Amino acid sequence: MELITDKHIKAKLTQMEQPYFISVKNICLSYNNFPVLENISFQIKKNEITTIVGPSGTGKSSLLYAFNRMTDFNPNVQVTGHIYCCNENYLTTKDIATVRSKFGLVFQKPNPFPVSIYKNLDIPLRENSKLSKTARKEKIISCLMSVGLWEEVKDRLNQPAQQLSGGQQQRLCIARCLVLDPELILMDEPTSSLDPISEAKIEELMVKLKDKVTILLVTHKMNQMRKVSDNVIVFWPKNNKTEVLTYGTVDQVLYKKDNNTFVSQYLNS
Amino acid sequence: MKNKIFILTSWLSFFTFFAIFFAVTGNIIFTGLDNFSFSFLFNTFNNSGRDGGISTIIISTLIIVAFALFVSVIISILSAICIDYFSKNIRITKILKLSIDTLSATPSIVFGLIGNIIFCEFLGLGYSLISGSLTLALMILPIQTRIILIGLNSVPKDIRLGAYALNLKPFTSYFRIKIHLIKKQILSGTFMGLGRSLAETAALLFTSGYGVKMPSSLLDSGRTLSIHIYDLAMNVPGGNENAYKSALTLILLVFIISLITATIQRRFNLGQQEFVWN
């Protein structure tokens, strides 16, 4: 039987004190010293879908890239602030490998690698884990099942991933994130290039996946925001910078009394 | 009126090109086919090349070209990947690309001279097949690297970002993913290098020598078909007949290789069509 130590109690208490899974504090992001985001703070709850909405150019996608530390590759982007998860600032930690495996990123356009369906999942898994071949295979099958793709591809795992339809490719990309056991999946307008049927499947999948992972979604589709979100963050431009206009549940955000006409029109579009 | 002049000039250029092409190849084919027999391909060199065949020369040519391509393809892929990987440092990349372009335009005789100094004299390899191969590899390396680099630059940004987001190491990203997207460029680069190697004379005069015996190792001297044609035409009185036959053999060799390359390329294109239609 496991002994309950002070350490365990302390950890449990800390967990109870922190209802939020990820805490974003004072994020400032600028392109070539031109500020885009300034002092952005919000929290993300575990196993919920938090959606960021707002007009184009307000730095929503850039913020997602900062989560995954993709901004490190662009010397013209400067990011400061804190993204706390498990008492660690993921924005400054040197262990980028852990950041990228914990915060998976799904792009606007499906981007499967030009290899087979199986290898699309096997390559990142091999690179980031020491699992045996059999264990990897089991994991790949379970991830394909999680995204509802297994039945569709089980007979053609060795065929090129580009032969899949757009919606299937995007689900494959989500499965590619899932093989690394992420805590948070960052989705940057994942349905913007898909047809309504594929879009509905991805939305259904998002809701299903939130039992396993937390999702931070960026979207321009208000209908999608209403359908899948637990919490909504509205980014709004003010004096050439972006501020968090509202944060709350879908109803709280949509029916907030002090929303001005532009915001109301945007959110109800 | 302008349109008519444009169409007329285009047709004139087209016919001029084909007239020159048919005049040159026709002359070689018809003169070469006179008294041509397959024994010419299998017999050995005799009487300074006036008699006998070119079997040893074909073997030397294939060895030199194959070894040159083997070395150059490996180095060019690695160099292109290296330049692409460090392309964030724009100044160094620009200098490297400029150097590659300068090397591509360097006359082959200069490469011959450098090859002679480095491989024949400094490394002590003498006039040998390996000296010739390495010199040819040096010569075709810039073109191949440039073509592969163009291929790497055209890899979609989404694929690059996808690899970064999954924390894939550069080795995995290049050799397991991007390599599939640049197969066509590698093939094109190899074929261009092959064409240039088969046609090369000046660089090999200084490095592989004039040897006509059947090579037993890479350290033996050996002449390629192009050197043989040059030697028969310029240095051997009465050697013109066999020079034409050798030229015909060289053209046939290039034609066969072109057919093989086109077949492989068509297979790649078919793969791409599948990608487009599905």
Side-chain angles (χ1 to χ4, degrees):
Chain A
M1 199 177 132
E2 199 185 345
L3 281 173
I4 300 172
T5 61
D6 282 354
K7 205 177 158 187
H8 280 95
I9 295 166
K10 205 177 164 188
K12 191 74 191 166
L13 283 172
T14 321
Q15 208 181 342
M16 284 167 72
E17 279 164 15
Q18 292 178 338
Y20 298 111
F21 167 53
I22 292 167
S23 186
V24 178
K25 277 185 186 166
N26 304 326
I27 291 283
C28 298
L29 188 146
S30 53
Y31 277 101
N32 292 321
N33 297 320
F34 180 81
V36 180
L37 298 174
E38 205 163 79
N39 289 324
I40 297 288
S41 301
F42 59 88
Q43 282 90 26
I44 299 168
K45 286 180 185 169
K46 203 170 172 73
N47 296 103
E48 285 194 355
I49 300 177
T50 304
T51 306
I52 304 177
V53 292
S56 297
T58 45
K60 303 180 296 295
S61 299
S62 304
L63 182 69
L64 286 200
Y65 280 37
F67 264 81
N68 192 263
R69 297 284 292 273
M70 295 288 279
T71 41
D72 289 17
F73 291 110
N74 192 342
N76 300 322
V77 180
Q78 296 85 36
V79 193
T80 56
H82 309 273
I83 296 175
Y84 284 115
C85 178
C86 311
N87 290 328
E88 195 172 358
N89 184 2
Y90 273 41
L91 206 56
T92 51
T93 181
K94 284 180 181 169
D95 186 10
I96 295 178
T98 310
V99 176
R100 296 216 172 112
S101 56
K102 279 203 166 186
F103 294 169
L105 181 58
V106 177
F107 294 84
Q108 253 180 41
K109 231 175 94 184
N111 58 348
F113 297 138
V115 288
S116 69
I117 296 166
Y118 186 84
K119 277 190 179 169
N120 257 280
L121 274 69
D122 192 43
I123 290 173
L125 192 55
R126 254 174 97 169
E127 185 90 7
N128 291 288
S129 75
K130 286 174 184 167
L131 294 175
S132 68
K133 202 177 170 183
T134 327
R136 286 204 311 271
K137 195 174 177 182
E138 278 171 16
K139 180 133 201 168
I140 288 168
I141 293 171
S142 107
C143 287
L144 286 172
M145 281 176 170
S146 300
V147 296
L149 205 57
W150 174 245
E151 286 301 321
E152 294 164 48
V153 300
K154 65 179 179 189
D155 300 323
R156 46 177 177 148
L157 287 173
N158 291 322
Q159 283 183 18
Q162 279 102 337
Q163 288 185 358
L164 296 172
S165 70
Q168 286 174 323
Q169 286 187 16
Q170 193 62 301
R171 278 187 283 153
L172 183 72
C173 292
I174 296 172
R176 200 172 61 184
C177 283
L178 287 176
V179 287
L180 302 182
D181 289 325
E183 303 260 4
L184 173 75
I185 294 189
L186 308 155
M187 293 189 173
D188 185 13
E189 299 178 51
T191 59
S192 64
S193 61
L194 304 181
D195 64 281
I197 297 167
S198 307
E199 187 180 326
K201 276 189 180 172
I202 300 277
E203 285 166 356
E204 206 178 295
L205 175 64
M206 280 190 238
V207 176
K208 204 177 104 187
L209 280 177
K210 73 177 182 179
D211 292 339
K212 286 184 184 173
V213 288
T214 309
I215 295 173
L216 181 59
L217 169 74
V218 164
T219 186
H220 280 294
K221 297 180 177 180
M222 296 304 131
N223 199 24
Q224 186 174 70
M225 180 262 280
R226 282 184 216 108
K227 263 196 248 173
V228 301
S229 311
D230 294 301
N231 292 297
V232 180
I233 303 165
V234 183
F235 276 18
W236 204 260
K238 190 181 179 185
N239 302 329
N240 291 327
K241 287 168 199 166
T242 296
E243 63 168 22
V244 174
L245 189 71
T246 330
Y247 172 81
T249 60
V250 179
D251 288 344
Q252 280 170 348
V253 168
L254 285 178
Y255 306 112
K256 198 181 170 198
K257 282 178 186 171
D258 57 349
N259 277 350
N260 67 35
T261 327
F262 290 120
V263 179
S264 291
Q265 273 179 357
Y266 178 80
L267 292 174
N268 291 301
S269 57
Chain B
M1 185 64 186
K2 270 182 187 174
N3 194 36
K4 277 184 181 172
I5 293 171
F6 168 71
I7 292 169
L8 196 73
T9 324
S10 304
W11 277 109
L12 208 66
S13 310
F14 175 78
F15 283 118
T16 314
F17 168 74
F18 272 96
I20 295 168
F21 175 76
F22 282 118
V24 174
T25 47
N27 178 32
I28 293 169
I29 291 169
F30 288 115
T31 322
L33 276 176
D34 265 353
N35 303 320
F36 187 89
S37 69
F38 279 101
S39 59
F40 177 70
L41 301 177
F42 303 109
N43 285 345
T44 49
F45 182 90
N46 204 359
N47 188 17
S48 299
R50 290 182 196 93
D51 304 322
I54 52 167
S55 62
T56 54
I57 292 150
I58 291 176
I59 299 288
S60 298
T61 307
L62 292 177
I63 291 173
I64 288 180
V65 171
F67 193 71
L69 284 178
F70 174 73
V71 174
S72 67
V73 167
I74 292 173
I75 299 177
S76 61
I77 291 174
L78 293 174
S79 319
I81 285 175
C82 189
I83 296 169
D84 185 68
Y85 182 67
F86 291 107
S87 61
K88 267 184 278 177
N89 194 330
I90 294 164
R91 192 174 290 174
I92 293 178
T93 314
K94 271 187 181 172
I95 293 169
L96 281 170
K97 283 181 181 170
L98 188 71
S99 315
I100 290 171
D101 290 340
T102 313
L103 277 175
S104 312
T106 306
S108 56
I109 195 98
V110 177
F111 278 103
L113 201 65
I114 292 167
N116 182 277
I117 293 165
I118 298 174
F119 304 119
C120 301
E121 290 179 17
F122 183 71
L123 293 178
L125 298 171
Y127 286 96
S128 59
L129 298 179
I130 193 165
S131 298
S133 291
L134 293 173
T135 309
L136 275 186
L138 271 186
M139 205 181 77
I140 58 183
L141 200 58
I143 308 170
Q144 286 182 331
T145 311
R146 199 73 171 102
I147 293 172
I148 297 169
L149 203 55
I150 291 168
L152 281 171
N153 287 339
S154 66
V155 169
K157 198 182 163 194
D158 292 340
I159 301 285
R160 283 172 188 259
L161 291 177
Y164 287 141
L166 290 161
N167 195 44
L168 298 186
K169 291 186 182 77
F171 179 85
T172 315
S173 174
Y174 281 107
F175 289 98
R176 285 181 186 271
I177 295 167
K178 291 178 193 167
I179 199 96
H180 296 283
L181 295 168
I182 56 163
K183 275 180 195 166
K184 254 175 105 170
Q185 280 78 14
I186 295 173
L187 190 73
S188 304
T190 311
F191 183 66
M192 280 188 77
L194 182 73
R196 220 181 147 184
S197 309
L198 280 173
E200 190 47 49
T201 319
L204 294 171
L205 283 173
F206 292 102
T207 50
S208 69
Y210 281 84
V212 287
K213 284 181 188 166
M214 183 62 88
S216 57
S217 82
L218 282 172
L219 290 169
D220 285 349
S221 171
R223 65 166 72 174
T224 57
L225 274 168
S226 50
I227 291 187
H228 185 58
I229 295 163
Y230 165 79
D231 190 44
L232 286 178
M234 305 302 289
N235 305 329
V236 181
N240 266 3
E241 191 187 320
N242 273 0
Y244 269 103
K245 284 183 194 172
S246 305
L248 179 64
T249 314
L250 187 60
I251 285 179
L252 280 174
L253 202 64
V254 173
F255 180 70
I256 291 166
I257 291 164
S258 298
L259 272 183
I260 295 168
T261 317
T263 314
I264 300 170
Q265 223 151 18
R266 206 175 303 126
R267 284 193 69 180
F268 285 159
N269 286 341
L270 279 177
Q272 268 200 340
Q273 271 178 11
E274 278 172 9
F275 164 67
V276 172
W277 288 106
N278 286 287

